[in-house]
Each structure stands twice: as structure tokens, then as C-alpha cells.
Amino acid sequence: MKKYLDNFNEQLTRYLPASRQLFFYWKGRVALYSILKSAGISSGDEVILPAYTCVVVPNQIIYLGAKPVYVDVDRQTYNMDVSKLAEAITEKTKAVICQNTYGLSSNLEEIAAIAKACKLLTIEDCCHGFGGTYKGKPNGSYCDAAFFSTQWNKPFSTGLGGFALINNQTIFDKMSSLYNQKSEPGFKAELVLRVLYFVRRYFLCDSSYWLLLRLYRFLSRHNLIIGSSQGIEITSTDIPDNFFRGFSTAQAREGLKNLKELPYVMELRKNNARHYNEFLMRNGKVHIKKEHFKNHSFLKYPILVNDRKKFFALAEKSKIRLGDWFISPLHPVESGFDKWYFETDRYPIAVELADKVVNIPTDIKNPENVLKFLESNMGLIE
Ligand SMILES: *Cc1c(COP(=O)(O)O)cnc(C)c1O
């Protein structure tokens, strides 16, 4: 166990700001939970986060008895609009979470400066941004703590999994003692993961994508297989049983394998994104500005469409691996937003983006098929 995990830690630190010990967990969200707990977040506190995120992020805040306070996002970056940050800060605010949505960094220097002036901790949600950089420094460099996910579709995968990088010594010490309290993933969970690795490696291709995606989601929704989220995590704010779990050897081994391909995949993502961007620009469609490219690792390329249902149906027919990430401002929650203290009318940009977004794949060898598909459905793209 130790050998694989140590090796994995060592390989990961090549992409990170400091070669120090990382903390590994069953999922990225568990890493965030641990960071918040180590930072002393508790009942009565407020934690600021972007209004365009994954529901498991506010969940961790609520599990600890604190309140998530959202800030609307910026249309270009899909990240927190820094000009709206100051007005969200109260005397109860303890921390700010900023995100690398689709691989694009937040405006980290400005956020860090505001946080410092108000004595707030900063946490970077790097779940989309492992391997990328912001102003020349690796993602994870600018905040007190950062957490990463290695779930199926993240920059590289261990199936499920995640880790934390801590730059603040006080939090680091607390994380270390908390780390001893986690439980093991368990034999059964590890076995299921191994089966899923196999299925993914040998059966996932363009023509099976939609079928396998539906099957996986169906099985995990009914808790018949270990999914990315348990039902309870998207219907309630109660902490699931046996939540605080560590990382298994199977995950470390899978991670070591997939990490080898990362430099190649990162190049592929940037190149494909460049093609998509040129295409959209040429056709007068919404696209990502050139100035963002150097801080963007393009885990996905977001585009906006005006009839998403139709667009998805057409993509499935053309065997395009379209992604439906963040089609809700609290992905993948569809209703009951008030449970997460999310008032839809207060974050109009996040809601609008979530209404219109689809993600086109960047880790593919044949972007021509995607471009052809976009070309023939130009009328649906904003
Ligand atoms: C995937 C994701 C998470 C959670 O990661 P898990 O490993 O699934 O727990 C958190 N934040 C964002 C932005 C994500 O996309």
C-alpha cells in the first residue's frame, strides 16, 4: 500500500507548487471536508463560494454546521465575479473557496488580496485544474489550501478519489492529526472500482459512450454501484454514513497509470480548444477570449446553446461525447435549492449559464467530428 501511495504522491508533486506530503481520500469532496474542519469551520460561520459549482462543495460547509454564501460568476470565466466578492463578506465569514471551472483559474491574486485584508482563509477548488497554471505557477499555489479530484472525468482519473495540498502550516498540522481518523475504503468498494476500471478501459468508445453513461448513472442513482455521488448527497444535506474514508491501493495504481498520459492529454486539450475557439470566433459565436488561454487547461470546452434538449439528442445520434456538467448552478441538483441556501434569483448569470451550457470534449483525437457536428447545428449555438 505504502509503496504505491508514496510513489503516487511523488509523481503528483511534479505538477504542484511544493513537494510536500499530500492527503489522500476516497473522493475530492472528502479532502474539502477535511480542509474546512482543519480550518476550524463550524456552526455560525460563513464560507463564500462561486454560485456555479458542484453541490458537494456547499455540502461540506453544511456538514460542519456552517453556511455557504454564494457569489455570482463572470460570464467569460464561469468563475466568481471578484467585483461582487466584497459585498458577500460579513463578520461571520471565515473562508473563500475559488474554483478552476473547466480548467480556467479564478482571478486568484485579487481574491487572495481581498481575503488577506479581511483575514479570511482561501481554498482553491482545483478539481478541474490539476496540472494547469495561473500566471506561471501551478494551480494550488495561491491559497492556504487546495483540493483536487481524480474522479472519472477529471484531469486524470483514479475512478473515484481526491487529495489535498496544504500551504498553511496551522492547517497542515490539523490535517495531519485528522488524517489518522479516516477509515479504509474497504475490500468491496475496491473490487467494484477495479471492475469499473476494466469496463472503462476496454469498452468505452464513441459508440458505447451514451449507453455506458446512462447505465452507470442508473446503477449509481439506485445505489447499485459506487457512483460519483450517492443519492443522499444530491437530495439532502445530511452527511452520508462512513463518509470520511481514505484512498485505496487500487486507486493509487490506477492513478500512476493514468498520470503517465497526462502531459500528452493536456496538450491535446489545449490544441482542441484552440480549434474550437477559432471555429466559434470565425462564426461569430460565444467563445473564450485569447487572454484566458495561458491560464486555461481546458478540461472541457463550454459552449452555450439555445435548445439544449435538442442539441443533446442530435449529439447522441452523431456519436459525439457531449458533456452535461454544470447544467445546474449546483450540479447536478435540479430542485430544492433552498436546502443549500441557494436563492436562484440572486445569481442570474450563473443560472443563465447553467441553462445554456454544454461541454464539448477536449481529450479526443478527432476534433473534426465535433467541428462538423457544430457546423451542421450552427443555428442552435449562441
Ligand atoms: C468533481 C468536483 C468536485 C468533487 O470531486 P469528487 O472527487 O467527486 O468528490 C468538487 N468541485 C468541483 C468543481 C468538481 O467538479
Side-chain angles (χ1 to χ4, degrees), residues 98-118:
C98 39
Q99 192 168 294
N100 295 171
T101 315
Y102 301 125
L104 179 57
S105 294
S106 293
N107 204 332
L108 287 164
E109 284 177 338
E110 279 182 49
I111 293 175
I114 296 172
K116 195 168 173 203
C118 301

Side-chain angles (χ1 to χ4, degrees), residues 308-345:
R308 186 160 55 202
K309 219 170 151 197
K310 187 167 171 194
F311 201 78
F312 269 116
L314 292 165
E316 184 169 354
K317 221 189 271 165
S318 306
K319 304 203 188 311
I320 301 293
R321 297 189 194 190
L322 209 58
D324 59 358
W325 281 16
F326 297 84
I327 62 175
S328 151
L330 283 187
H331 173 83
V333 163
E334 284 163 15
S335 59
F337 289 91
D338 49 327
K339 261 182 261 175
W340 288 275
Y341 303 90
F342 193 95
E343 296 165 56
T344 356
D345 43 348

Side-chain angles (χ1 to χ4, degrees), residues 27-29 54 56-57 99 125 127-128 149 151 154 161 326:
K27 293 179 184 178
R29 68 200 70 179
C54 187
V56 304
V57 176
Q99 192 168 294
D125 177 343
C127 290
H128 297 188
S149 169
Q151 188 257 9
K154 303 299 163 93
F326 297 84

Side-chain angles (χ1 to χ4, degrees), residues 12-19 22 130-131 138-141 148 163 165:
L12 287 170
T13 51
R14 295 184 183 186
Y15 296 89
L16 296 171
S19 62
L22 303 168
F130 177 79
N139 289 342
S141 300
F148 299 80
F163 54 94
L165 165 80

